Amino acid sequence: MDYKRRSYDLIFVVKAAVVSLLVFLPGFFQFFIYGRFICLIVSLLLTVALHSFIVVFEMKLKIFLPLVIIATLIIFVMILLGRMPGAFDYISLINTNFNEVFAFILDNIIVFVLYIGIFTVVIGLVLFFFHKLSTIEAKNPSIAFKKKFFAIPLFLSLLPFFIVDTREILSSYPFALLSDTIVNWNFFRKAPAYRNLKYIFDGDILDGKTDINFILIIGESARKSCFGFTQKHDESSHSTSFSPRMDEITKLFPNRCIIQKNYISNSHSTVPTVLTMLNPSCYLGIFNCFEKPNLLLLLRSSGFHVILLRSQTCGYVDEYMGVADEILDFLGNRDTDMLPKIEGILDSPGRLFIVVHTKGSHFSSLNVQGGSYEDSIHLTDDFLSALFNTIQRSPKASCAWFVSDHGENLNSLHGSGNITYWEIEVPSLIFANDAFIKFADKRWENVKSTKETLISHYNLSHTIMGLTQVFPKNYYLSQKDASSINYSEDKDPILIPNNMIPITYSACKFKEE
């Protein structure tokens, strides 16, 4: 009986099943890495769907060979990184010192060789299996299956995708590969127009008459372990401090300094960290951050004159901070070269919000910042100590908050793989003069009382709004504001790796350097 048009033989069905499984095999690896059942379920459903599709439409199996090769490459990258890769990982590689990339390859040369060997053996076994099946098919008539038996599972396997939460599906393979690409594309489309975004302030301002200065210093790639003043007693003996000036200042003026010893970043590269720290909408806000007002725009609409000083540029970050009233560039200079300008600005009348985006300790700026990572930390120490003294001399109520965007791996890839302790734990220091402490009143003491709690970039915007006493409706959350009596510690904040697939702080599989 001729089954070619009305049914399919068992050999073809088995071959289609093997190919389908290989195409979606990375999804099963994703399940083992993340432990999320949704990844396993999505992979199983897509495997069944593709298998049924191949059989029902009598697809040539050879056309799926490129997908099998891509799947094996993705598995290889997942083994190396310990997570699902994304487009931002390639951006991070560009931002990584070539010597570190070369060192990473050498450190993992055994993994490279083993994987190539295993890949060759597996592909060889699959081809041998297919050859045996073809031999059996030529010698023996096979069991036939009616087409209707495969049309039903094709429909049933696709049905759940219209029921399950879309965000859960998009975080699973193969959609997870496109997750950060889609985010990146949205940034690309919407970022250029962000500086023209309009917002009319709607909310409360408790004291809009007092002239104040608030300075946010965004560090770059600074590790918490390099700053002595951030260390706990049990950590101090294991770390080397490269910040002697601020170590001394924080000891001499404890009432004017707030050291947040448990501050963490929310990612390991600049774009997601800065777009989050200036975004009051928490982790989900990053996906539509160019559609809503950020901290700069909210304060500007409340009467603050917003000034951005930057010694480096960073794509989408520049667009996001482009809503400032003034933008002053110091691109070819050291961070300390901005100090005279800042000192002059602080003497200006009115309410000023000043954002200073520094070169910090990014590897590409080390030749300008002193020559080595250690030298760049010393330069940051010089910058902060000089600014502290300037603020103390200012007659205006003045406050500064220094926090790094993220930390750094010194002997591994920049912003790739599982988030490391070195990347996520960052220095955070707030210091002010007596006039500002008096202005902030109880809110200053409230922030001081949270110095041992877990604070992250998600708290930054709300805490600054609290300290400046600006409370925009629908954007300010007192539970996120460390200066509020309603502050509630989030002990398990969401982290956003470069692949833009959110993961909880507790679920993140940290790796040591």
Side-chain angles (χ1 to χ4, degrees), residues 361-374:
S361 301
H362 195 278
F363 84 90
S364 63
S365 303
L366 295 182
N367 60 325
V368 178
Q369 294 285 93
S372 68
Y373 190 84
E374 178 182 338

Side-chain angles (χ1 to χ4, degrees), residues 157-231:
S157 61
L158 294 176
L159 185 62
F161 290 97
F162 298 95
I163 303 173
V164 180
D165 187 351
T166 304
R167 286 177 296 184
E168 291 290 334
I169 295 174
L170 291 178
S171 66
S172 304
Y173 182 83
F175 310 106
L177 289 175
L178 300 175
S179 180
D180 73 333
T181 303
I182 294 171
V183 173
N184 195 50
W185 172 246
N186 286 332
F187 287 174
F188 177 78
R189 290 189 305 111
K190 298 175 181 179
Y194 189 70
R195 65 186 59 192
N196 299 319
L197 184 68
K198 304 297 181 184
Y199 172 75
I200 299 174
F201 186 81
D202 179 20
D204 298 318
I205 303 173
L206 296 189
D207 186 348
K209 296 181 180 180
T210 302
D211 286 357
I212 63 172
N213 297 317
F214 198 102
I215 310 166
L216 173 62
I217 307 111
I218 301 175
E220 171 66 54
S221 304
R223 295 164 59 145
K224 169 191 167 186
S225 60
C226 292
F227 294 82
F229 60 83
T230 67
Q231 303 306 307

Side-chain angles (χ1 to χ4, degrees), residues 288-299:
N288 61 352
C289 62
F290 286 102
E291 299 173 13
K292 297 182 179 181
N294 62 17
L295 176 65
L296 281 68
L297 189 53
L298 292 171
L299 292 179

Side-chain angles (χ1 to χ4, degrees), residues 212-491:
I212 63 172
N213 297 317
F214 198 102
I215 310 166
L216 173 62
I217 307 111
I218 301 175
E220 171 66 54
S221 304
R223 295 164 59 145
K224 169 191 167 186
S225 60
C226 292
F227 294 82
F229 60 83
T230 67
Q231 303 306 307
K232 301 175 184 177
H233 293 297
D234 58 343
E235 296 174 331
S236 57
S237 60
H238 303 287
S239 302
T240 301
S241 175
F242 302 130
S243 57
R245 294 177 184 271
M246 288 310 298
D247 293 349
E248 185 67 19
I249 285 174
T250 53
K251 291 177 182 177
L252 292 175
F253 304 98
N255 293 329
R256 298 178 187 177
C257 300
I258 300 176
I259 306 166
Q260 293 167 318
K261 297 185 177 182
N262 290 317
Y263 195 103
I264 62 170
S265 176
N266 65 298
S267 188
H268 48 179
S269 61
T270 301
V271 172
T273 53
V274 177
L275 296 190
T276 302
M277 70 164 65
L278 299 177
N279 187 332
S281 300
C282 298
Y283 84 92
L284 288 177
I286 192 173
F287 300 107
N288 61 352
C289 62
F290 286 102
E291 299 173 13
K292 297 182 179 181
N294 62 17
L295 176 65
L296 281 68
L297 189 53
L298 292 171
L299 292 179
R300 181 183 173 187
S301 66
S302 72
F304 274 86
H305 185 72
V306 180
I307 304 173
L308 169 63
L309 293 88
R310 59 189 181 190
S311 59
Q312 69 153 315
T313 58
C314 186
Y316 298 132
V317 171
D318 295 330
E319 301 284 3
Y320 199 53
M321 296 193 290
V323 295
D325 294 293
E326 296 181 53
I327 300 177
L328 306 174
D329 287 332
F330 296 80
L331 303 182
N333 302 84
R334 288 186 172 193
D335 292 338
T336 48
D337 293 335
M338 293 187 282
L339 285 168
K341 187 63 178 180
I342 295 173
E343 185 171 359
I345 292 173
L346 293 180
D347 292 333
S348 304
R351 296 163 64 80
L352 303 179
F353 182 61
I354 305 165
V355 180
V356 185
H357 192 196
T358 66
K359 283 184 173 70
S361 301
H362 195 278
F363 84 90
S364 63
S365 303
L366 295 182
N367 60 325
V368 178
Q369 294 285 93
S372 68
Y373 190 84
E374 178 182 338
D375 291 332
S376 70
I377 300 295
H378 280 301
L379 195 72
T380 299
D381 185 41
D382 292 342
F383 180 93
L384 294 176
S385 59
L387 182 59
F388 177 87
N389 292 327
T390 298
I391 282 179
Q392 301 311 312
R393 293 193 300 266
S394 176
K396 285 178 63 178
S398 302
C399 179
W401 189 343
F402 164 70
V403 63
S404 184
D405 58 351
H406 56 81
E408 183 63 289
N409 292 321
L410 295 181
N411 300 312
S412 187
L413 297 183
H414 173 89
S416 297
N418 285 330
I419 294 176
T420 68
Y421 288 110
W422 306 112
E423 293 172 308
I424 203 72
E425 295 180 346
V426 294
S428 176
L429 173 67
I430 306 173
F431 51 86
N433 59 15
D434 290 335
F436 186 88
I437 294 173
K438 182 178 179 181
F439 167 81
D441 197 18
K442 294 180 180 179
R443 288 186 171 273
W444 179 262
E445 293 302 320
N446 289 341
V447 177
K448 212 172 184 64
S449 68
T450 65
K451 63 183 181 180
E452 298 292 341
T453 63
L454 187 67
I455 302 284
S456 73
H457 284 342
Y458 298 121
N459 302 107
L460 187 139
S461 289
H462 302 281
T463 303
I464 291 178
M465 286 188 278
L467 288 172
T468 55
Q469 301 183 29
V470 174
F471 308 104
K473 188 178 179 181
N474 299 325
Y475 292 101
Y476 169 76
L477 297 174
S478 61
Q479 296 90 342
K480 296 288 183 181
D481 173 12
S483 75
S484 171
I485 59 173
N486 296 323
Y487 167 72
S488 177
E489 180 185 9
D490 184 358
K491 296 183 179 180

